[in-house]
């Protein structure tokens, strides 16, 4: 019996492409783990999820495979995604009583079919009542913006699989852009760069590590170097090289330009009254990608609008989803509507 076993747990879930976070009504965040599943290739049985599965990435043998079922911001592998959600819920040991609810956030660019898939997963995992909320809306509520007022707020959420840019006013999204270009693409850019320029092959985890430690979107006050290990593409032997933050910035530059261009496009499509609010209030930058050094400064430079990195970019979405769960009647307007939602 776990700590939470005595509660009837209504849940708020941020089913992210990189990380899944679960908030229990009245309690707060109880789970924060990577959205990764390790499963048996033959039987498709789940071997482990979350942190435990992450340890296995790139280190499996023939029988076991690890995947990120939500990779590009959608449920890429329905069955496995559902199994993962179910396993996470089981892990927090929530004792679900009749009437249990889930508020779950989804990328704003998601299709009706994908919404249906998320909803079905939540239902199969045991929910009686499922509500969906768009990720940027949840993030805006999470960072304490007044989303109900007739005032424009721009929020940029740079996650693993998608970057979501949205202008929010009067409990709704006035305009938005969702691109499948975010943290994963940055990792991939680093892998390609090292291959091309150093004949070196590194795994995804190493690339992510490099990005978080010395990655940047603007020149650093003090440029850094990092020793990295990988495999030499020419002779196949493991090797270590020193790589500088200047090189990694070059590797990331295309990915960052894509994100910055999407921000500019969204601004161009924003109604002038809302634009002037955004100019006054600044842009809120959230999601794990907001932690990339200099990304805020870069967007500021190219949009001439102040940019604020939110206090905790990795939890804003789940906290916002949690606030909605705590007061569903107040926030009913922010929920996604559609057939059956
Ligand atoms: P999602 O909502 O898609 O699950 P998150 O908001 O949890 O995504 O962010 C995950 C992404 O943030 C990953 O691509 C991760 O590499 C990236 N990230 C986390 N910390 C940093 C950092 N310090 N610098 C750059 N990127 C980071
Ligand atoms: Mg997210």
């Amino acid at each position: 019996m776990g700590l939470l076993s005595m509660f009837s747990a209504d849940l708020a879930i941020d089913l992210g492409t990189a990380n899944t976070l679960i908030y229990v009504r009245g309690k707060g965040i109880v789970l924060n783990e990577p959205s990764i599943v390790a499963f048996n290739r033959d039987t498709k049985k789940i071997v482990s999820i979350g942190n435990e599965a992450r340890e296995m990435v790139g280190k499996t043998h023939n029988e076991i495979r690890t995947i990120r079922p939500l990779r590009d911001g959608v449920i890429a592998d329905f069955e496995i995604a559902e199994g993962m959600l179910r396993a996470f819920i089981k892990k927090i040991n929530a004792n679900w009583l009749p009437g249990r609810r889930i508020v779950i956030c989804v990328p704003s660019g998601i299709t009706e079919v994908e919404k249906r898939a998320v909803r079905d997963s939540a239902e199969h995992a045991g929910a009686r009542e499922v509500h969906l909320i768009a990720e940027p809306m949840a993030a805006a509520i999470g960072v304490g913006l007044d989303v109900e007022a007739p005032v424009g707020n721009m929020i940029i959420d740079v996650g693993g699989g998608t970057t979501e840019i949205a202008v929010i006013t009067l409990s709704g999204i006035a305009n938005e852009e969702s691109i499948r270009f975010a943290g994963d693409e940055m990792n991939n850019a680093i892998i390609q760069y090292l291959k091309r320029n150093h004949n070196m092959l590194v795994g995804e985890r190493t690339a992510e590590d490099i990005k978080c430690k010395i990655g940047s979107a603007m020149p650093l006050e003090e440029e850094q170097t990092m020793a990295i290990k990988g495999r030499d593409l020419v002779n196949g032997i493991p090797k270590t090289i020193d790589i500088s933050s200047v090189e990694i910035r070059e590797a990331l530059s295309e990915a960052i330009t894509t994100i910055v261009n999407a921000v500019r496009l969204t601004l161009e499509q924003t109604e002038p009254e809302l634009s002037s609010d955004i100019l006054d209030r600044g842009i809120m930058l959230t999601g794990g990608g907001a932690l990339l050094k200099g990304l805020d400064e870069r967007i500021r430079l190219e949009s001439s609008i102040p940019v604020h990195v939110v206090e905790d970019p990795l939890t804003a979405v789940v906290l916002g989803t949690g606030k909605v769960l705590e007061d569903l009647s107040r926030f009913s307007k922010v929920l996604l509507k559609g057939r059956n939602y």
Side-chain angles (χ1 to χ4, degrees):
M1 282 274 201
L3 255 173
L4 295 161
S5 56
M6 302 311 289
F7 296 83
S8 153
D10 286 343
L11 307 178
I13 302 180
D14 171 4
L15 193 59
T17 64
N19 298 295
T20 297
L21 290 87
I22 302 184
Y23 172 109
V24 173
R25 182 173 197 161
K27 293 224 68 141
I29 299 170
V30 297
L31 182 130
N32 179 355
E33 299 200 26
S35 308
I36 302 179
V37 179
F39 64 98
N40 185 296
R41 263 179 215 274
D42 299 328
T43 63
K44 274 215 157 189
K45 199 171 170 296
I46 292 180
V47 179
S48 65
I49 50 161
N51 291 325
E52 215 182 303
R54 183 173 201 260
E55 292 302 313
M56 299 180 182
V57 174
K59 301 187 181 181
T60 52
H61 51 69
N62 277 340
E63 254 169 56
I64 296 178
R65 226 190 115 195
T66 58
I67 64 163
R68 288 182 34 207
L70 309 175
R71 188 120 215 162
D72 299 310
V74 293
I75 297 201
D77 190 316
F78 183 75
E79 207 179 310
I80 302 268
E82 193 177 304
M84 182 180 78
L85 187 61
R86 204 194 291 258
F88 276 137
I89 291 173
K90 192 166 162 212
K91 187 164 182 186
I92 64 171
N93 234 330
N95 180 20
W96 274 19
L97 301 173
R100 59 222 170 183
R101 291 188 178 119
I102 288 188
V103 181
I104 189 160
C105 91
V106 294
S108 57
I110 187 171
T111 64
E112 290 296 314
V113 173
E114 290 164 345
K115 277 184 210 165
R116 186 79 234 177
V118 173
R119 193 190 161 73
D120 286 351
S121 296
E123 274 173 0
H124 291 166
R128 287 278 161 78
E129 192 183 314
V130 182
H131 300 282
L132 304 184
I133 179 172
E135 213 173 331
M137 177 63 80
I141 294 169
V143 304
L145 297 181
D146 180 2
V147 299
E148 293 155 311
V151 174
N153 282 293
M154 178 176 267
I155 188 125
I156 305 175
D157 181 336
V158 184
T162 59
T163 293
E164 312 252 323
I165 305 154
V167 178
I168 287 169
T169 179
L170 290 169
S171 302
I173 293 178
N175 58 313
E176 71 197 321
E177 195 66 46
S178 173
I179 55 170
R180 295 190 173 184
F181 229 94
D184 293 338
E185 283 296 334
M186 296 184 202
N187 298 347
N188 195 30
I190 292 173
I191 293 173
Q192 298 307 328
Y193 180 93
L194 293 174
K195 245 192 226 169
R196 248 191 343 259
N197 298 283
H198 293 278
N199 282 324
M200 174 143 173
L201 196 62
V202 300
E204 219 176 313
R205 256 191 99 161
T206 301
E208 178 167 36
D209 203 33
I210 297 169
K211 172 184 73 180
C212 295
K213 290 211 176 96
I214 63 168
S216 61
M218 291 288 285
L220 301 174
E221 232 162 74
E222 234 173 280
E223 297 294 350
Q224 293 159 14
T225 53
M226 180 176 169
I228 57 175
K229 284 186 237 143
R231 198 174 75 205
D232 190 310
L233 276 171
V234 180
N235 62 18
I237 290 171
K239 68 172 176 183
T240 305
I241 59 167
D242 283 334
I243 199 95
S244 82
S245 50
V246 179
E247 283 184 274
I248 297 304
R249 191 160 55 250
E250 189 189 323
L252 294 177
S253 98
E254 207 181 314
I256 287 161
T257 304
T258 307
I259 292 171
V260 170
N261 286 344
V263 173
R264 288 163 64 150
L265 184 70
T266 315
L267 283 166
E268 277 166 32
Q269 291 165 346
T270 303
E271 292 294 329
E273 298 292 346
L274 295 174
S275 299
S276 94
D277 291 340
I278 295 167
L279 189 59
D280 287 345
R281 305 161 72 88
I283 295 170
M284 302 303 254
L285 185 58
T286 187
L291 295 167
L292 183 78
K293 293 180 199 67
L295 185 59
D296 53 340
E297 205 185 324
R298 178 72 185 276
I299 298 172
R300 190 179 309 137
L301 195 76
E302 301 209 24
S303 66
S304 308
I305 296 176
V307 179
H308 313 288
V309 176
V310 310
E311 202 179 306
D312 191 349
L314 288 159
T315 58
V317 166
V318 78
L319 288 177
T321 312
K323 278 190 198 166
V324 171
L325 175 74
E326 300 280 356
D327 201 348
L328 268 174
S329 53
R330 172 179 166 194
F331 285 115
S332 65
K333 286 209 279 300
V334 307
L335 298 170
L336 287 179
K337 300 181 187 60
R339 245 177 337 115
N340 309 320
Y341 308 119

